PDB file of all heavy atoms in Angstrom:
ATOM      1  N   VAL A  38     -82.028 -46.569-107.395  1.00  0.00           N
ATOM      2  CA  VAL A  38     -80.684 -47.054-107.172  1.00  0.00           C
ATOM      3  C   VAL A  38     -79.981 -46.424-105.984  1.00  0.00           C
ATOM      4  O   VAL A  38     -79.222 -47.041-105.332  1.00  0.00           O
ATOM      5  CB  VAL A  38     -79.804 -46.976-108.518  1.00  0.00           C
ATOM      6  CG1 VAL A  38     -79.537 -45.554-108.903  1.00  0.00           C
ATOM      7  CG2 VAL A  38     -78.581 -47.870-108.387  1.00  0.00           C
ATOM      8  N   ARG A  39     -80.106 -45.106-105.819  1.00  0.00           N
ATOM      9  CA  ARG A  39     -79.481 -44.456-104.677  1.00  0.00           C
ATOM     10  C   ARG A  39     -79.942 -45.067-103.346  1.00  0.00           C
ATOM     11  O   ARG A  39     -79.160 -45.301-102.487  1.00  0.00           O
ATOM     12  CB  ARG A  39     -79.702 -42.929-104.717  1.00  0.00           C
ATOM     13  CG  ARG A  39     -79.030 -42.232-103.554  1.00  0.00           C
ATOM     14  CD  ARG A  39     -79.108 -40.735-103.631  1.00  0.00           C
ATOM     15  NE  ARG A  39     -78.373 -40.200-104.808  1.00  0.00           N
ATOM     16  CZ  ARG A  39     -77.071 -40.009-104.804  1.00  0.00           C
ATOM     17  NH1 ARG A  39     -76.334 -40.230-103.723  1.00  0.00           N
ATOM     18  NH2 ARG A  39     -76.514 -39.463-105.896  1.00  0.00           N
ATOM     19  N   PHE A  40     -81.294 -45.272-103.228  1.00  0.00           N
ATOM     20  CA  PHE A  40     -81.814 -45.812-101.999  1.00  0.00           C
ATOM     21  C   PHE A  40     -81.246 -47.210-101.734  1.00  0.00           C
ATOM     22  O   PHE A  40     -80.775 -47.438-100.649  1.00  0.00           O
ATOM     23  CB  PHE A  40     -83.388 -45.859-102.086  1.00  0.00           C
ATOM     24  CG  PHE A  40     -83.908 -46.690-100.930  1.00  0.00           C
ATOM     25  CD1 PHE A  40     -83.988 -46.205 -99.670  1.00  0.00           C
ATOM     26  CD2 PHE A  40     -84.351 -47.980-101.166  1.00  0.00           C
ATOM     27  CE1 PHE A  40     -84.532 -47.007 -98.620  1.00  0.00           C
ATOM     28  CE2 PHE A  40     -84.856 -48.795-100.189  1.00  0.00           C
ATOM     29  CZ  PHE A  40     -84.920 -48.304 -98.908  1.00  0.00           C
ATOM     30  N   VAL A  41     -81.310 -48.015-102.754  1.00  0.00           N
ATOM     31  CA  VAL A  41     -80.785 -49.361-102.574  1.00  0.00           C
ATOM     32  C   VAL A  41     -79.274 -49.426-102.230  1.00  0.00           C
ATOM     33  O   VAL A  41     -78.801 -50.026-101.295  1.00  0.00           O
ATOM     34  CB  VAL A  41     -81.067 -50.263-103.796  1.00  0.00           C
ATOM     35  CG1 VAL A  41     -80.389 -51.585-103.654  1.00  0.00           C
ATOM     36  CG2 VAL A  41     -82.557 -50.452-103.970  1.00  0.00           C
ATOM     37  N   SER A  42     -78.518 -48.595-102.968  1.00  0.00           N
ATOM     38  CA  SER A  42     -77.046 -48.553-102.769  1.00  0.00           C
ATOM     39  C   SER A  42     -76.720 -48.044-101.382  1.00  0.00           C
ATOM     40  O   SER A  42     -75.894 -48.598-100.683  1.00  0.00           O
ATOM     41  CB  SER A  42     -76.401 -47.716-103.855  1.00  0.00           C
ATOM     42  OG  SER A  42     -76.581 -48.223-105.126  1.00  0.00           O
ATOM     43  N   GLU A  43     -77.332 -46.947-101.007  1.00  0.00           N
ATOM     44  CA  GLU A  43     -77.025 -46.376 -99.689  1.00  0.00           C
ATOM     45  C   GLU A  43     -77.543 -47.320 -98.549  1.00  0.00           C
ATOM     46  O   GLU A  43     -76.883 -47.367 -97.564  1.00  0.00           O
ATOM     47  CB  GLU A  43     -77.602 -44.979 -99.606  1.00  0.00           C
ATOM     48  CG  GLU A  43     -76.846 -43.966-100.438  1.00  0.00           C
ATOM     49  CD  GLU A  43     -77.366 -42.561-100.410  1.00  0.00           C
ATOM     50  OE1 GLU A  43     -78.467 -42.310 -99.825  1.00  0.00           O
ATOM     51  OE2 GLU A  43     -76.668 -41.698-100.997  1.00  0.00           O
ATOM     52  N   SER A  44     -78.541 -48.054 -98.731  1.00  0.00           N
ATOM     53  CA  SER A  44     -79.005 -49.043 -97.778  1.00  0.00           C
ATOM     54  C   SER A  44     -78.047 -50.140 -97.616  1.00  0.00           C
ATOM     55  O   SER A  44     -77.954 -50.736 -96.576  1.00  0.00           O
ATOM     56  CB  SER A  44     -80.396 -49.584 -98.144  1.00  0.00           C
ATOM     57  OG  SER A  44     -81.401 -48.582 -98.126  1.00  0.00           O
ATOM     58  N   LEU A  45     -77.246 -50.385 -98.681  1.00  0.00           N
ATOM     59  CA  LEU A  45     -76.214 -51.436 -98.595  1.00  0.00           C
ATOM     60  C   LEU A  45     -74.844 -50.809 -98.236  1.00  0.00           C
ATOM     61  O   LEU A  45     -73.741 -51.398 -98.415  1.00  0.00           O
ATOM     62  CB  LEU A  45     -76.087 -52.205 -99.936  1.00  0.00           C
ATOM     63  CG  LEU A  45     -77.331 -52.874-100.306  1.00  0.00           C
ATOM     64  CD1 LEU A  45     -77.254 -53.424-101.786  1.00  0.00           C
ATOM     65  CD2 LEU A  45     -77.572 -54.100 -99.354  1.00  0.00           C
ATOM     66  N   ASP A  46     -74.849 -49.558 -97.702  1.00  0.00           N
ATOM     67  CA  ASP A  46     -73.677 -48.848 -97.252  1.00  0.00           C
ATOM     68  C   ASP A  46     -72.688 -48.586 -98.378  1.00  0.00           C
ATOM     69  O   ASP A  46     -71.455 -48.737 -98.194  1.00  0.00           O
ATOM     70  CB  ASP A  46     -72.968 -49.572 -96.052  1.00  0.00           C
ATOM     71  CG  ASP A  46     -72.095 -48.645 -95.295  1.00  0.00           C
ATOM     72  OD1 ASP A  46     -72.410 -47.494 -95.194  1.00  0.00           O
ATOM     73  OD2 ASP A  46     -71.122 -49.164 -94.683  1.00  0.00           O
TER      74      ASP A  46
END
Side-chain angles (χ1 to χ4, degrees):
V38 69
R39 179 173 295 278
F40 167 76
V41 172
S42 299
E43 289 178 352
S44 294
L45 296 172
D46 201 29

